[in-house]
Amino acid sequence: MNKRDFWKRTWLSCAMAAWLMMPSIAGSWAAGAPERIILDVDLAEDVDDAGALATLHTLANRGEAEILGILVSSNNEWVGPCADAINTWYGRPDLPIGYQRGHQYGYRNPKDPGRETPSQYAERVARAFPHDLKRSSDAPDAAILCRQLLAAQPDQSVTMVTVGFLTNLRNLLDSSPDQHSPLDGEALVKQKVKQWVCMGGIFPSGRFPNGQGEYNLMYDTAASVRAVNDWPTPVVFSGFAIGAGIKVGARLRETPESNPVRACYQHYNGLKDREAWDLTAVLYAVRGAANYWKHSEPGFCLMHARVSHGYNEWIPAPQKHHRYLIELMPPDQVGRVIEGLMIEGNRPIP
Ligand SMILES: [Ca+2]
């Protein structure tokens, strides 16, 4: 090698090392420590939450993610046990699970007072697969569990991922100092959370043509208004259109019948493909935009409370810290990545 080649190679090696050490725009490291994830699911009316759990477990098996805990935002006594069954099958039977306590904080959606979030699969899967959480309400309050989990982590290290309603995040922001941390909820989030990845919203229009907002954001509107408008760290939204273009699930047939995620899809739609809304948020939270998506311009996703069912509005603003995902790779190609993760392996890699 001549001297010029040597310095060229040395420069390239240094540049590569610097690039590998540089955090991406999403705040995730291109190489190094796994992303610390708290995933908040509803796992009830739709089945993509089950796919999101499968995807996250696989990413943890691969060393790309560390799962700190699972929160449940729906009002259904079988959802916690169903999540526990999935965690157990993936070899993580003791993963902490928190359950929403919306009512303790005065929450009742005025349109759906005390309404249970129905599920076609949660009870059947919970009854059929091994786990030890008997009822969702046997799990601790999700907001308090979240305080405990956050307090134990390094500063600005945790990625919150929500693929359901925002009841728990509102309760977390509203929480008071306790035995886990002397900080109130907002200060604790600001100290410990790197970013929040939210499957929710419609971008940039904010509403469907019929005027309605997106399901996750409008379900507990009061909570969404507080969580979205006041969240003190960067937020990235995987909006309705991102997951709507990706269909996954049928390949769960290739996994054994002992797989509770396969059973969720079996009971939900007979193991057909289903939109991948929640799975996109998990993939983004762990890998960043990669070559799957690009980020919108910075701005603010303003939540509006319209009677009980709210909607979002996108306001471009260079000094704000919200962004939403925009398609880059063709959705069917992203789908193949996601479905590969969804059906891969059922035990942690030793
Ligand atoms: Ca969901």
Side-chain angles (χ1 to χ4, degrees):
M1 187 193 308
N2 65 35
K3 206 172 178 181
R4 201 168 133 191
D5 281 350
F6 171 80
W7 284 112
K8 194 171 159 191
R9 284 199 185 191
T10 305
W11 183 88
L12 280 172
S13 304
C14 291
M16 181 62 78
W19 180 80
L20 285 171
M21 290 172 70
M22 188 169 62
S24 74
I25 191 168
S28 60
W29 292 86
E35 290 293 335
R36 297 163 199 251
I37 303 285
I38 297 175
L39 175 61
D40 190 329
V41 299
D42 58 294
L43 197 68
E45 283 195 298
D46 212 312
V47 77
D48 53 333
D49 302 71
L53 279 167
T55 303
L56 182 58
H57 276 290
T58 296
L59 288 166
N61 291 349
R62 286 174 166 225
E64 295 181 58
E66 177 187 355
I67 313 173
L68 303 179
I70 304 297
L71 312 181
V72 173
S73 62
S74 51
N75 181 19
N76 184 313
E77 287 290 359
W78 292 102
V79 167
C82 180
D84 194 30
I86 293 171
N87 296 344
T88 300
W89 193 75
Y90 275 96
R92 298 186 179 88
D94 299 324
L95 196 58
I97 293 176
Y99 182 55
Q100 58 83 21
R101 296 293 195 280
H103 297 176
Q104 279 189 7
Y105 296 83
Y107 156 63
R108 277 181 187 268
N109 186 324
K111 222 165 187 178
D112 306 310
R115 168 181 177 259
E116 179 174 298
T117 324
S119 175
Q120 290 172 241
Y121 60 87
E123 179 176 351
R124 286 196 267 187
V125 169
R127 286 188 185 280
F129 290 86
H131 64 282
D132 57 13
L133 181 64
K134 298 263 188 300
R135 303 180 310 162
S136 296
S137 55
D138 289 340
D141 180 331
I144 305 304
L145 173 67
C146 203
R147 288 183 58 81
Q148 183 181 358
L149 296 173
L150 289 176
Q153 298 302 317
D155 290 354
Q156 269 98 53
S157 68
V158 178
T159 296
M160 301 289 306
V161 187
T162 59
V163 299
F165 321 126
L166 302 184
T167 311
N168 294 326
L169 263 56
R170 185 273 313 273
N171 292 350
L172 172 62
L173 289 183
D174 285 349
S175 63
S176 303
D178 60 5
Q179 73 272 30
H180 304 302
S181 169
L183 301 176
D184 66 26
E186 275 191 56
L188 182 61
V189 166
K190 195 170 182 181
Q191 183 177 78
K192 300 293 185 179
V193 174
K194 182 169 66 175
Q195 66 170 346
W196 167 22
V197 178
C198 174
M199 191 282 120
I202 301 166
F203 297 93
S205 67
R207 282 188 266 189
F208 292 111
N210 67 2
Q212 211 166 46
E214 186 275 329
Y215 175 77
N216 282 349
L217 295 191
M218 78 174 192
Y219 192 94
D220 183 354
T221 288
S224 299
V225 168
R226 166 77 166 126
V228 173
N229 292 353
D230 297 340
W231 192 260
T233 78
V235 187
V236 176
F237 294 86
S238 182
F240 178 85
I242 292 295
I246 300 172
K247 310 277 198 302
V248 296
R251 284 190 63 203
L252 283 165
R253 293 166 194 274
E254 299 168 26
T255 70
E257 290 190 359
S258 61
N259 176 1
V261 177
R262 172 187 163 134
C264 290
Y265 277 75
Q266 176 71 52
H267 293 309
Y268 183 79
N269 67 2
L271 274 172
K272 295 190 185 69
D273 277 341
R274 177 69 181 157
E275 282 83 348
W277 293 292
D278 296 356
L279 301 86
T280 64
V282 166
L283 183 63
Y284 173 80
V286 175
R287 290 190 175 170
N291 56 348
Y292 311 133
W293 302 289
K294 58 184 179 178
H295 294 96
S296 71
E297 79 271 70
F300 191 72
C301 175
L302 179 65
M303 251 328 273
H304 292 275
R306 187 185 58 180
V307 193
S308 63
H309 285 169
Y311 62 94
N312 70 284
E313 178 188 0
W314 178 252
I315 303 170
Q319 75 278 20
K320 294 294 186 182
H321 301 289
H322 292 178
R323 292 174 187 267
Y324 62 89
L325 297 183
I326 296 172
E327 273 180 14
L328 181 61
M329 184 185 280
D332 61 327
Q333 281 184 39
V334 182
R336 282 197 283 279
V337 173
I338 287 176
E339 199 164 43
L341 294 168
M342 189 182 175
I343 67 168
E344 177 183 301
N346 66 327
R347 292 291 182 270
I349 295 165

